[in-house]
Amino acid sequence: MNGATSRTAAPDRAGARDAAPDGATVRGTTAESTAGPAADRSTRLTVLVALAANLVIAVAKLVGGLLAGSPALLSEAAHSVADSLNEVFLLAALRRSRRPADRRHPFGYGKERFFWSLLAAVGIFVMGGCFSFFQGVEALHAETEEKFSGYVAGLAVLGVAFLAEGASLLRALHQAHRQGGTANLRDPALRTVLAEDGTAVLGVVLAAAGMALHMVTGQVVWEASASLAIGALLVCVAYGLGREARDQLIGEAADPGTAGRIRALLDAQPEIDSVEGLFTMRTGVDSALVAARVDLVPGMDSEHVEEVAVRIKRSLAGVVPEADQIFLDVTDRACREHGESPAATGERGGA
């Protein structure tokens, strides 16, 4: 490399301009994902179905719980209210996370989806888990008259809730299957709906069991225990969702398979002597940042370095479509050992 110098321009609204080693400018284009908006529309429909179900069920559970004086049913009402609020958070996440990049947020707003998912986890913990614990403890210590006349209506409400929550869960599972299955699910909004609906179905079963045992034995401890179990279940789900959102917010690397494909492509380039470093970070549900430090074979001039860098970035964008931010730190080992400046190029869009 003959006296190449490092110069990288910052991205702007129209696209990043990256100065190549010889001073030429390379304009990147932002890859448009056709699968992203379509998946968002399906997720939005899934969230709206869950929201409608939870609003109706919350009212029914509240009325049934007050009529029966059932702590388990009131806990389930709080659970449904929390889920309804969380669906509002998820709808905000779907809308705000698709805003285009600007000067203040050059990497876009994809991580907003992770932030609103974190708020949803907090909502499940506070409004669902804590209230359920309160109802369970209150039932154990309060000396209230048992209202068995309302328990039949309460169990009927739970039966309707089971059908509605089950239908919402089936809708979410169907969409997750279309996106590769629950094990590979990357969308935090859909993952939250799945967790909420699955927990809701199990919570209804626990509440119904507690109410039925209370009716048969006359012991309120069964219903109080069901309320405490619902609270523990919600706390565990909230912790799991919150931990995932935290990892994504602070900067989670791309999955090992994606990183492996990137490294394999770099290793296969004849102009690359070695890959000194590879860094990835998810910047959204279907977007990622890729930065690599590579050593080139000796003897390449600046013009050839520019051509190689542009070709490699375009190849990476083809192999990893979600890599919409690609940066290469191109160096020559011999130049580095003699204290000369490396040539670095960066490109937004990788195309």
Side-chain angles (χ1 to χ4, degrees):
M1 194 178 301
N2 301 324
T5 58
S6 172
R7 196 169 80 182
T8 304
D12 58 18
R13 241 179 240 272
R17 290 174 177 246
D18 301 300
D22 60 355
T25 300
V26 179
R27 180 181 295 275
T29 58
T30 303
E32 295 182 359
S33 172
T34 56
D40 278 2
R41 285 192 293 271
S42 296
T43 301
R44 185 176 291 107
L45 178 59
T46 299
V47 174
L48 288 173
V49 169
L51 175 60
N54 280 318
L55 286 175
V56 174
I57 293 168
V59 174
K61 288 177 180 177
L62 179 61
V63 173
L66 292 174
L67 291 176
S70 167
L73 198 52
L74 290 174
S75 296
E76 273 299 296
H79 180 187
S80 295
V81 170
D83 285 352
S84 299
L85 180 60
N86 293 338
E87 260 90 60
V88 174
F89 288 157
L90 297 179
L91 288 173
L94 290 171
R95 180 177 61 85
R96 296 177 64 86
S97 64
R98 288 297 178 185
R99 289 182 294 170
D102 52 35
R103 289 187 180 275
R104 188 173 181 182
H105 299 89
F107 296 114
Y109 291 82
K111 286 194 174 185
E112 277 230 38
R113 196 170 298 199
F114 307 142
F115 168 74
W116 290 100
S117 296
L118 178 62
L119 289 187
V122 174
I124 293 174
F125 178 84
V126 175
M127 296 186 62
C130 293
F131 184 79
S132 295
F133 277 125
F134 170 78
Q135 283 294 319
V137 173
E138 181 77 6
L140 288 174
H141 292 87
E143 296 181 359
T144 57
E145 184 180 353
E146 300 167 358
K147 302 176 183 179
F148 291 105
S149 59
Y151 269 45
V152 175
L155 289 173
V157 168
L158 288 179
V160 174
F162 181 84
L163 294 177
E165 297 285 10
S168 179
L169 178 61
L170 289 176
R171 162 70 195 183
L173 287 172
H174 173 69
Q175 185 184 344
H177 178 71
R178 290 173 56 188
Q179 294 186 10
T182 56
N184 300 316
L185 195 60
R186 296 188 300 175
D187 189 345
L190 182 55
R191 189 166 55 238
T192 300
V193 172
L194 276 172
E196 287 178 350
D197 288 345
T199 305
V201 170
L202 185 55
V204 167
V205 173
L206 289 173
M211 291 179 66
L213 288 172
H214 186 186
M215 291 179 62
V216 172
T217 65
Q219 300 294 321
V220 72
V221 66
W222 291 108
E223 200 166 349
S225 298
S227 185
L228 292 173
I230 292 170
L233 180 64
L234 291 173
V235 168
C236 290
V237 170
Y239 173 76
L241 292 174
R243 184 178 60 180
E244 290 177 354
R246 178 207 63 185
D247 291 342
Q248 293 161 341
L249 279 172
I250 63 178
E252 187 177 46
D255 61 87
T258 299
R261 293 200 306 273
I262 295 172
R263 184 172 288 275
L265 186 146
L266 293 175
D267 289 336
Q269 304 303 311
E271 297 87 356
I272 294 180
D273 187 42
S274 64
V275 180
E276 298 298 316
L278 176 61
F279 307 94
T280 63
M281 183 176 68
R282 289 181 58 192
T283 56
V285 175
D286 54 5
S287 60
L289 180 148
V290 177
R293 183 178 299 114
V294 297
D295 276 331
L296 299 181
V297 296
M300 294 177 57
D301 58 28
S302 298
E303 184 177 354
H304 193 191
V305 168
E306 177 189 356
E307 295 173 356
V308 169
V310 172
R311 190 193 74 228
I312 291 175
K313 285 183 283 187
R314 289 178 175 172
S315 298
L316 284 174
V319 172
V320 187
E322 62 267 30
D324 63 345
Q325 304 281 351
I326 302 173
F327 298 91
L328 290 182
D329 183 4
V330 180
T331 65
D332 185 296
R333 181 173 299 174
C335 291
R336 192 175 68 247
E337 290 174 352
H338 286 84
E340 298 181 17
S341 299
T345 63
E347 180 175 327
R348 177 185 171 87

